[in-house]
Amino acid sequence: MPHTNSHDHIDAMLHETRVIAPSEEFQARARVTREEYERRYRQSLEQPDQFWSEVAGELHWTKPWEQVLDWQEPHAQWFVGGQTNVAYNALDRNVQRGLGDKRAIVWEGEDGEVRTYTYAELLREVKRAANVLLALGVQPGDRVTLYMPLIPEAAVAMLACARIGAVHSVVFGGFSVSALSDRINDAQSKVLITADAGYRRGQPVPLKKNADVAAQNTPTLEKMLVVRRAGVEVAWEPERDVWWHEAIEAASDEHEAAPLDSEHPLFILYTSGSTGKPKGVQHTTGGYMVGTYLTTQTVFDLRDDDVYWCTADVGWITGHSYSVYGPLLNGATVVMYEGAPNQPDWGRFWSLIEKHRVTILYTAPTAIRAFMQHGDEIPGRYDLSSLRLLGSVGEPINPEAWMWYWRVIGGERCPVVDTWWQTETGSIMLTTLPGAFSSKPGSAGVPMYGVEPALMTREGEELGADDGGLLVIKRPWPSMLRTIYGDDERYRKSYWGEIKGVYFAGDGARRDADGYYTIVGRVDDVLNVSGHRLGTMEIESALVAHPSVSEAAVVGKPDPIKGESVVAFVLTQDGYTVDPTELRAHVSREIGALARPDSIIVSDALPKTRSGKIMRRFLRQIAAGKPIEGDTSTLEDPSVLERLAATPPA
Ligand code: 6R9
């Protein structure tokens, strides 16, 4: 198996010359041809008002917008003055178009249970849930936190919030108690929607129990709505807790979607930045709706009979935009799977595809690499002939994994679309529209409509083709974040203030002669572990919160499956000894298992400059087991490096 580290991956990407064209058959039926892309892309930049009006006009608005874009850098308003409702567009509108009996969600639990909702059924359920939230006192603009397994009720809860104008904040079910209470407090949520437990690798994950502990520390929280998923015993506070199924049963299924201002907040989603605590990325109604609607239909070449499966959990932006909003806005049949990819074995994804006749699969490189490690034989046991398109998201995909995905899963028949975007961008920014473009394994591709990317230096100097630089976007787009919830200053500084006048994405990239962008990775202190964003500072704060640690520095180390793994260098507090097992458990408790350091190196010093700045560059080299390169003369004590390199990780 050709496993190399990420630096070799980057090298391989830069020297990758394969070009894979879509089949003639695919091209002949594709929604978007190359000519069509060129024409519309040009229109989207030259006549943006007309372009975006045409797209938005395909959706339902209770009041038309007066102005397409009002741009007061760094604040954008899209479809100004317009009123609409995202849930109405995803459900009522599709039922009215005659899709009432079409399957909206086909859900499979980890235990094999299958539940299906048609558009009409989903609408009824969402109307009931909207009435439940209203009865709990939720008002437009109020925040509702979701801490749920990947079950249909998660989508129902999100859409119910959208329907009444409440702002959802989904917290991934793998996050810890303290991560949950921090997010509830930052958002000042009034209601928490959770479940008794979810399933992960056959084990119930005690969500309600975690929520109960988190709620000891969340003064704004009034009510907890609890879905019964696993049937496990839970503690109950009758004043506060409400069973979802009881409330839903009692609720009316009549509800008119609230007409909401285009800029009414739709959701907050917390993500890691390079400094401090996670930031609540805020998206709004009209622009996000239009962005996810357009990209889902074009990037995934969506057709009426597709069975579309995005494997992302709703705890991440991909789960928001491409498991829920984008596909439902397009009236697609969405597959949802609750559990782990290797439960009961590494054939689970392929068995789901065979069983539900999935036509479009959208997943992450880390999953592809894990499947690849287990060989071609397992997918070979299943009938994957229903597939016609594959997508990748979350981190750079190394060409080997790309080729494996294309060959073994796609049978050399399905185009692979690599899609670059972020929590902040809301929808896909760079890709190769299938049918319109050939793919180059490892390269994300070209800009989507309305996206004007460039490569720049930190000083804002624009770079030409083949130069590596910082990836920026030169103009606002409808689905971009509007602010960081409660911290507009951080928004100003992080995105449009870092390099003057442009959106700074935090990624490094290159562009080739055909205009394809290849993402090299983050250029800030953000790690990407199995496609999940983690701030090094966040993990460091968790480590130093343990009594045995006086100081900590966290870096990423190239990992063949996860992309990056977490390496922690820690200094021991006088009078204590560091117990690596306990420290890992501590980080799990503070943030979640996904942030647990893979290696811990206990030391007596860190490489610091005379001014006290930790030189992470050297720590990254040590973590990767590489020789020290670069100027060490600014270090207060260069001998620290040798001592660290000689310390075996725990
Ligand atoms: C959608 C999502 C964003 C960061 C982004 C970049 C990395 C995402 C990528 C990719 C290379 C791709 N990233 N997609 N890198 N190729 N196709 O993942 O959002 O969780 O906010 O992460 O992920 O580094 O800046 P988010």
Side-chain angles (χ1 to χ4, degrees), residues 271 317-318 392-397 418-424 444 505 507 519 521-522 528 531 533:
T271 190
I317 190 68
T318 306
S392 172
V393 61
E395 52 178 315
I397 180 164
D418 184 3
T419 60
W420 175 85
W421 59 293
Q422 307 176 296
T423 305
E424 293 89 338
D507 281 314
I519 311 298
R522 300 290 304 195
N528 192 324
R533 265 167 78 166

Side-chain angles (χ1 to χ4, degrees), residues 7 522-527 536 553-558 564-565 567 569 607 613-628 641 644:
H7 285 287
R522 300 290 304 195
V523 295
D524 52 11
D525 291 324
V526 172
L527 305 182
T536 51
V554 166
V555 297
K557 171 186 167 174
E564 268 184 305
S565 66
V567 179
F569 293 84
K613 196 168 174 288
I614 298 172
M615 300 282 281
R616 286 159 204 284
R617 189 153 45 92
F618 296 127
L619 292 178
R620 277 193 285 270
Q621 294 170 356
I622 292 168
K626 296 208 158 163
I628 301 294
L641 297 177
L644 285 173

Side-chain angles (χ1 to χ4, degrees), residues 13 65 104 117 120 149 167 240 259 284 287 290 314 365 379 408 475 547 567-568 638-639:
M13 279 182 211
W65 57 91
Y117 291 78
V167 182
R240 182 197 66 191
T284 59
V290 170
V314 289
V408 178
R475 59 167 85 197
V567 179
S639 78

Side-chain angles (χ1 to χ4, degrees), residues 24-214:
E24 304 228 324
E25 193 201 336
F26 192 98
Q27 283 186 59
R29 293 187 64 189
R31 265 187 98 120
V32 182
T33 62
R34 180 61 174 263
E35 294 67 44
E36 159 101 345
Y37 167 83
E38 299 293 351
R39 183 182 64 75
R40 292 197 82 199
Y41 182 67
R42 203 171 324 112
Q43 189 203 13
S44 73
L45 296 193
E46 290 169 5
Q47 299 163 296
D49 287 8
Q50 197 183 322
F51 177 88
W52 290 114
S53 290
E54 277 170 28
V55 180
E58 293 175 21
L59 294 158
H60 173 272
W61 296 75
T62 38
K63 186 165 167 268
W65 57 91
E66 284 143 25
Q67 194 185 347
V68 172
L69 168 66
D70 179 4
W71 178 229
Q72 313 280 337
E73 195 196 313
H75 293 119
Q77 294 186 66
W78 283 87
F79 310 107
V80 188
Q83 285 187 346
T84 185
N85 186 290
V86 182
Y88 181 94
N89 273 289
L91 301 172
D92 309 58
R93 181 178 147 270
N94 285 322
V95 171
Q96 280 159 28
R97 292 201 293 152
L99 302 182
D101 293 333
K102 181 175 176 174
R103 293 175 305 167
I105 295 179
V106 178
W107 173 83
E108 186 166 319
E110 202 185 65
D111 53 2
E113 179 191 349
V114 174
R115 272 202 270 154
T116 301
Y117 291 78
T118 63
Y119 271 89
E121 287 164 348
L122 189 60
L123 173 58
R124 214 170 306 130
E125 208 62 12
V126 168
K127 284 180 171 178
R128 286 200 167 117
N131 284 324
V132 169
L133 292 175
L134 290 173
L136 293 180
V138 179
Q139 310 265 334
D142 283 349
R143 275 78 55 208
V144 173
T145 298
L146 274 62
Y147 183 61
M148 298 177 81
L150 191 50
I151 52 178
E153 287 84 350
V156 170
M158 290 163 76
L159 291 160
C161 287
R163 200 166 175 91
I164 65 170
V167 182
H168 59 71
S169 163
V170 185
V171 177
F172 174 55
F175 275 123
S176 69
V177 167
S178 53
L180 173 62
S181 60
D182 285 353
R183 284 159 177 77
I184 293 172
N185 288 334
D186 189 82
Q188 298 167 292
S189 290
K190 212 170 178 175
V191 171
L192 175 67
I193 310 181
T194 187
D196 55 353
Y199 281 109
R200 193 78 186 168
R201 303 207 164 81
Q203 295 302 313
V205 181
L207 297 171
K208 169 72 160 82
K209 202 169 146 199
N210 290 352
D212 284 338
V213 183

Side-chain angles (χ1 to χ4, degrees), residues 114-406:
V114 174
R115 272 202 270 154
T116 301
Y117 291 78
T118 63
Y119 271 89
E121 287 164 348
L122 189 60
L123 173 58
R124 214 170 306 130
E125 208 62 12
V126 168
K127 284 180 171 178
R128 286 200 167 117
N131 284 324
V132 169
L133 292 175
L134 290 173
L136 293 180
V138 179
Q139 310 265 334
D142 283 349
R143 275 78 55 208
V144 173
T145 298
L146 274 62
Y147 183 61
M148 298 177 81
L150 191 50
I151 52 178
E153 287 84 350
V156 170
M158 290 163 76
L159 291 160
C161 287
R163 200 166 175 91
I164 65 170
V167 182
H168 59 71
S169 163
V170 185
V171 177
F172 174 55
F175 275 123
S176 69
V177 167
S178 53
L180 173 62
S181 60
D182 285 353
R183 284 159 177 77
I184 293 172
N185 288 334
D186 189 82
Q188 298 167 292
S189 290
K190 212 170 178 175
V191 171
L192 175 67
I193 310 181
T194 187
D196 55 353
Y199 281 109
R200 193 78 186 168
R201 303 207 164 81
Q203 295 302 313
V205 181
L207 297 171
K208 169 72 160 82
K209 202 169 146 199
N210 290 352
D212 284 338
V213 183
Q216 290 168 5
N217 251 314
T218 51
T220 59
L221 204 67
E222 294 169 12
K223 292 283 176 189
M224 211 186 275
L225 198 50
V226 187
V227 177
R228 187 144 74 193
R229 157 70 190 122
V232 299
E233 225 18 78
V234 290
W236 204 254
E237 269 197 39
E239 292 290 290
R240 182 197 66 191
D241 300 348
V242 178
W243 279 114
W244 169 277
H245 62 274
E246 288 177 1
I248 291 278
E249 254 162 52
S252 154
D253 61 4
E254 274 173 47
H255 179 267
E256 293 280 318
L260 299 169
D261 191 274
S262 180
E263 285 298 324
H264 186 83
L266 178 65
F267 66 84
I268 299 167
L269 183 60
Y270 288 86
T271 190
S272 298
S274 48
T275 52
K277 56 174 191 154
K279 41 195 180 186
V281 168
Q282 185 171 313
H283 283 285
T284 59
T285 299
Y288 177 84
M289 174 176 77
V290 170
T292 53
Y293 166 75
L294 175 69
T295 48
T296 308
Q297 64 179 233
T298 51
V299 176
F300 301 108
D301 186 51
L302 214 56
R303 287 205 296 254
D304 291 345
D305 55 355
D306 274 316
V307 178
Y308 166 98
W309 182 24
C310 166
T311 66
D313 189 277
V314 289
W316 312 109
I317 190 68
T318 306
H320 283 60
S321 301
Y322 298 107
S323 300
V324 178
Y325 288 113
L328 294 179
L329 282 164
N330 281 285
T333 295
V334 176
V335 171
M336 248 186 203
Y337 166 59
E338 175 188 36
N342 58 347
Q343 189 65 29
D345 58 46
W346 286 100
R348 188 59 184 272
F349 272 27
W350 323 127
S351 119
L352 272 143
I353 290 169
E354 178 181 276
K355 182 160 155 196
H356 302 291
R357 305 303 293 158
V358 172
T359 60
I360 301 169
L361 174 68
Y362 189 33
T363 194
T366 186
I368 299 166
R369 289 191 296 263
F371 293 128
M372 183 172 150
Q373 190 186 40
H374 292 88
D376 303 8
E377 196 261 323
I378 300 175
R381 289 182 211 148
Y382 298 87
D383 176 8
L384 303 180
S385 64
S386 57
L387 287 171
R388 64 179 197 91
L389 180 65
L390 302 174
S392 172
V393 61
E395 52 178 315
I397 180 164
N398 47 307
E400 296 78 11
W402 196 104
M403 290 303 293
W404 187 86
Y405 195 31
W406 179 73

